[in-house]
Amino acid sequence: MQPRENTLNRRIRSAGGKFLRRFGLLPGGMPDGLGDDATLRDSTLDGDVIVYFADTADSLYQLRGWYGPLRELHRAQGVTVVCMDSRVAATIRQESGLPVVTIAQDATLDALIIRSGTKLILYVNYNPLNMAPLRARSALHVSLLHGDSDKGVSVSNQVKAYDYSFVAGQAAIDRFARYTSLFDAESRCIEVGRPSLDTDRVEPGTSHLRGDDPVVLYAPTWEGGQASVAYSSLQTHADPMLRSLLAQGYRIIYRPHPLTGVRVPEFGEADRAVRELLEGGWHTISGDRPLQRDFAEADLLICDVSAVANDWLATGKPAIVTRSAGADARDAGTRMLDVLPRLDAADAEHAAEIVTEQIEVDPDREERRRLTEYYLGDTRPGASLARFLGACRDLSAQRDRLWRQITENEHPSDPRTATS
């Protein structure tokens, strides 16, 4: 094979790529690769922890839910967010207040992890680009993900790439054991609850903007990456369901998933139709509002199979989960889907009757209370955050012990000078 040469064509293509990146002309879904590599060449990161986020702005919602706990972890151990996109890095830096760097070259990342003595690397998704830091043997790799749910993606085989997975409660461990093969969930999953429920807590207040009208939070998920995880109710349930609720005087908080319509344009059209239906009333389109604000203001949740249902359990209020109309959709069902009322597309036009019974009678109250501990663990204020910080501290100490053993194996003492 002939050696590759720095031909004129290659130089032109490289220059063209740099021009597109430098002037922000790359598509939003492609990392710009404008790294801080040059300034990081001889530097070290402060602290023990890296949060690796290789995604572009479309997926920022996955990290935003961890801002509060990560700020607390930064105070305890020091955290740096590592990105592949300079635009995303600037947004995270502004929103979170955390140290953020952009790294374009794998060699820069490898050297920086070793030089900084990084102990933990945290991941909020299963992006294939996570393989770059996963090569590092000197740190422990922990999957956080961005929510606990009965979606099929929650039991992805990709979990095996990480040393540990932080999960909300025993339900997640049982889910892995039930739906994943050759994965020791009991030893590789660590229960930490949902620490963002502590750091982002909003106390209930005056929520009804018009008299005492009850409030329903409708939080559908997106269309999903493939048919097996197509749980969204936007096209099948939303219109008749919302018209039924509006006819009975319910106020609606509509919280669409940030990725709605990115893969299937018809879901974007359904989203616009819902927005138009709710215009002009005492309703709320929740875009940039914190999830906990929506939780505090609502009397009942209607959602699809998603992490919203699990987090909602901590409120103690009733919820309804839609049943996907997709013939190929497969969930990783646990006890919640057997306990909470399910809404089929065929029954969507009668949604107000079901909602009224749940709010006024709440027949599942006691069973939901038992589910809360199973899914979220101890939900007393501060308990989950303490577990999260304690787990990171314990794993950092474990990393030190393991890395010491590895380095001793790699650099054994001279047997001629070793003492017996």
Side-chain angles (χ1 to χ4, degrees):
M1 178 182 294
Q2 294 294 321
R4 296 179 66 185
E5 297 179 358
N6 191 20
T7 64
L8 177 61
N9 285 340
R10 289 186 61 215
R11 291 198 299 271
I12 291 174
R13 287 198 300 271
S14 177
K18 290 178 181 178
F19 176 85
L20 291 174
R21 293 195 300 271
R22 183 64 61 188
F23 289 95
L25 301 177
L26 281 177
M30 184 181 299
D32 63 15
L34 292 176
D36 305 312
D37 297 66
T39 58
L40 294 171
R41 187 170 294 122
D42 299 315
S43 64
T44 59
L45 301 178
D46 293 331
D48 299 336
V49 184
I50 282 177
V51 178
Y52 191 72
F53 189 74
D55 293 75
T56 51
D58 284 346
S59 298
L60 260 174
Y61 72 93
Q62 299 172 348
L63 182 62
R64 285 181 174 125
W66 281 100
Y67 280 169
L70 290 176
R71 280 192 284 262
E72 295 300 321
L73 182 60
H74 180 56
R75 295 185 182 98
Q77 291 190 243
V79 171
T80 300
V81 181
V82 174
C83 299
M84 288 186 66
D85 189 295
S86 65
R87 300 162 295 184
V88 170
T91 301
I92 296 171
R93 192 177 295 114
Q94 180 181 18
E95 291 180 348
S96 71
L98 295 167
V100 188
V101 298
T102 308
I103 297 178
Q105 299 174 10
D106 290 353
T108 304
L109 180 62
D110 292 345
L112 190 61
I113 291 171
I114 290 290
R115 197 164 55 242
S116 303
T118 300
K119 299 181 180 183
L120 299 181
I121 304 180
L122 311 180
Y123 307 80
V124 297
N125 57 32
Y126 290 145
N127 190 323
L129 294 173
N130 290 353
M131 291 305 297
L134 276 168
R135 288 197 302 265
R137 296 179 297 120
S138 60
L140 293 185
H141 302 268
V142 181
S143 170
L144 303 180
L145 291 188
H146 48 279
D148 175 63
S149 76
D150 288 339
K151 285 185 173 183
V153 293
S154 294
V155 289
S156 169
N157 208 45
Q158 292 164 292
V159 70
K160 298 174 185 176
Y162 304 86
D163 297 312
Y164 291 99
S165 180
F166 281 1
V167 298
Q170 184 63 42
I173 298 175
D174 293 345
R175 187 188 300 116
F176 273 122
R178 183 176 182 181
Y179 295 103
T180 305
S181 62
L182 301 176
F183 176 69
D184 187 354
E186 288 290 343
S187 65
R188 295 184 62 184
C189 292
I190 299 174
E191 295 180 49
V192 298
R194 295 287 288 149
S196 60
L197 297 181
D198 287 331
T199 58
D200 303 345
R201 189 178 296 270
V202 174
E203 296 301 326
T206 302
S207 61
H208 301 162
L209 298 182
R210 187 182 65 190
D212 294 323
D213 291 345
V215 180
V216 173
L217 169 60
Y218 176 46
T221 191
W222 70 300
E223 57 267 28
Q226 56 271 345
S228 62
V229 291
Y231 308 113
S232 180
S233 59
L234 262 178
Q235 283 194 296
T236 54
H237 296 61
D239 185 75
M241 178 187 74
L242 292 174
R243 291 184 185 278
S244 172
L245 295 173
L246 294 175
Q248 293 299 314
Y250 285 98
R251 185 168 75 85
I252 309 299
I253 300 174
Y254 172 54
R255 186 183 183 89
H257 191 284
L259 294 182
T260 299
V262 299
R263 191 179 70 84
V264 181
E266 289 78 10
F267 280 85
E269 296 170 8
D271 170 60
R272 286 190 292 273
V274 169
R275 294 169 185 265
E276 292 173 2
L277 180 64
L278 299 179
E279 277 183 354
W282 291 89
H283 311 294
T284 301
I285 308 299
S286 180
D288 298 328
R289 288 177 17 135
L291 178 62
Q292 296 304 313
R293 171 58 61 190
D294 291 342
F295 280 8
E297 292 187 5
D299 299 297
L300 177 142
L301 167 71
I302 299 178
C303 68
D304 307 327
V305 174
S306 75
V308 175
N310 297 47
D311 285 354
W312 174 265
L313 286 174
T315 69
K317 295 182 282 191
I320 297 170
V321 179
T322 67
R323 184 176 280 109
S324 173
D328 298 321
R330 298 289 183 272
D331 58 50
T334 51
R335 280 166 45 193
M336 180 188 300
L337 297 187
D338 295 327
V339 171
L340 298 184
R342 305 297 301 274
L343 183 65
D344 291 297
D347 298 324
E349 61 182 332
H350 305 296
E353 300 172 20
I354 303 171
V355 167
T356 299
E357 179 189 20
Q358 291 299 312
I359 291 178
E360 294 182 355
V361 181
D362 195 6
D364 307 311
R365 181 188 298 108
E366 285 305 310
E367 187 61 30
R368 279 200 320 275
R369 184 184 60 78
R370 287 189 287 270
L371 285 181
T372 301
E373 183 176 356
Y374 179 55
Y375 281 86
L376 302 176
D378 187 351
T379 56
R380 290 176 298 178
S384 183
L385 179 62
R387 292 170 73 187
F388 170 69
L389 296 177
C392 290
R393 182 176 59 250
D394 292 345
L395 288 189
S396 296
Q398 183 187 47
R399 174 269 179 193
D400 288 346
R401 293 192 298 270
L402 294 173
W403 187 237
R404 190 178 305 114
Q405 294 172 6
I406 291 173
T407 53
E408 289 174 354
N409 291 334
E410 290 181 336
H411 306 286
S413 302
D414 188 333
R416 293 171 297 183
T417 60
T419 58
S420 57

